[in-house]
Amino acid sequence: MADSAQHLLDGMRRELAPAAGDNTFVELVAAGRAPQDALRRYANEEHLIFTSDWGSYLALAGRSTAPDTRQFFMGLAFGEAMGLAGLTTLSAALGVDEDDRRAHRPMPLCQAYPAYTAWLALNADPADVVAALLANFPAWSGYFSTLAGALRKHHGLDDAACAFLDGLSAPNAQLEEQGLGILDQRLSTGWVPDTARQYARFLRTYDLLFWNSLVETNA
């Protein structure tokens, strides 16, 4: 085999590595300077994203003909469903309840990320999505880890409130192993990851659009 999935992902992750100034919202939270209304927007917008991605991952599982790929996306869908319970606890700690969620007007630029994920669920080769997601997981986990620490330090949130963020603060080792196996198998049959690289870059861009729009009230 000319390449391995691990070598491929290492290269993609280097290309997508976070840089200082990329994520205004997380950096403001880390510095203790995030406005309370931005934190509440985060909770509301994240709830919409998790609900949407849950359905998108189920759709990708349904479109996956290979059992291991189907299992990968079912695992992601299960994680989104479980995450919603923890997100509700975090939201409450940030002053957001069910009435607030119902009254919240979604921010279009924040919702570009789940809209693109839904597009992938309908149109993309599932293996390309596996690669694109795996390539982004470390950066995303870093953001959640930073948020968990900063919300404890600057806002006094406890472990129960931060459990949602803690659960996302490191890539899931089982999903990583499953994904690498999927990609190694596809590489052995001639799969070319060019489209996966494009998807990974778009996911990275739309994810940053989500975070940065939280502190732009006209977004």
Side-chain angles (χ1 to χ4, degrees):
M1 188 186 305
D3 204 350
S4 71
Q6 188 64 66
H7 184 265
L8 168 67
L9 282 179
D10 288 345
M12 293 173 70
R13 286 168 174 172
R14 284 193 295 271
E15 294 171 5
L16 299 168
D22 279 351
N23 190 325
T24 303
F25 175 80
V26 170
E27 292 182 10
L28 284 173
V29 178
R33 296 190 290 110
Q36 190 64 33
D37 60 345
L39 293 171
R40 289 193 293 268
R41 279 197 297 274
Y42 165 71
N44 281 316
E45 297 291 334
E46 189 78 279
H47 189 92
L48 293 169
I49 289 175
F50 263 65
T51 302
S52 178
D53 284 357
W54 182 7
S56 294
Y57 293 144
L58 287 174
L60 279 159
R63 290 182 54 233
S64 299
T65 57
D68 54 352
T69 310
R70 187 179 308 118
Q71 184 180 29
F72 178 88
F73 287 113
M74 287 298 294
L76 284 176
F78 179 77
E80 300 294 301
M82 294 296 293
L84 283 169
L87 181 55
T88 299
T89 302
L90 172 62
S91 298
L94 295 174
V96 175
D97 60 18
E98 185 62 34
D99 289 338
D100 295 316
R101 280 193 290 276
R102 282 195 295 266
H104 178 71
R105 298 180 62 184
M107 302 174 70
L109 297 184
C110 284
Q111 294 304 308
Y113 172 85
Y116 183 64
T117 304
W119 184 93
L120 293 174
L122 292 174
N123 296 284
D125 178 339
D128 287 336
V129 184
V130 171
L133 290 170
L134 288 179
N136 277 288
F137 279 165
W140 294 343
S141 294
Y143 292 149
F144 289 118
S145 177
T146 298
L147 287 177
L151 289 174
R152 286 182 168 96
K153 178 180 179 180
H154 299 298
H155 296 269
L157 270 62
D158 60 16
D159 288 346
C162 290
F164 167 79
L165 299 170
D166 291 338
L168 297 168
S169 291
N172 184 301
Q174 181 179 357
L175 283 173
E176 179 100 357
E177 182 179 355
Q178 288 177 339
L180 288 171
I182 292 165
L183 298 183
D184 273 327
Q185 192 281 327
R186 289 296 300 270
L187 284 166
S188 72
T189 62
W191 173 68
V192 177
D194 291 350
T195 302
R197 289 190 175 95
Q198 173 186 308
Y199 292 162
R201 180 168 53 85
F202 276 39
L203 284 172
R204 170 75 172 142
T205 300
Y206 288 131
D207 180 65
L208 287 175
L209 184 63
F210 158 68
W211 293 111
N212 291 324
S213 296
L214 292 169
V215 291
E216 298 175 8
T217 56
N218 61 345

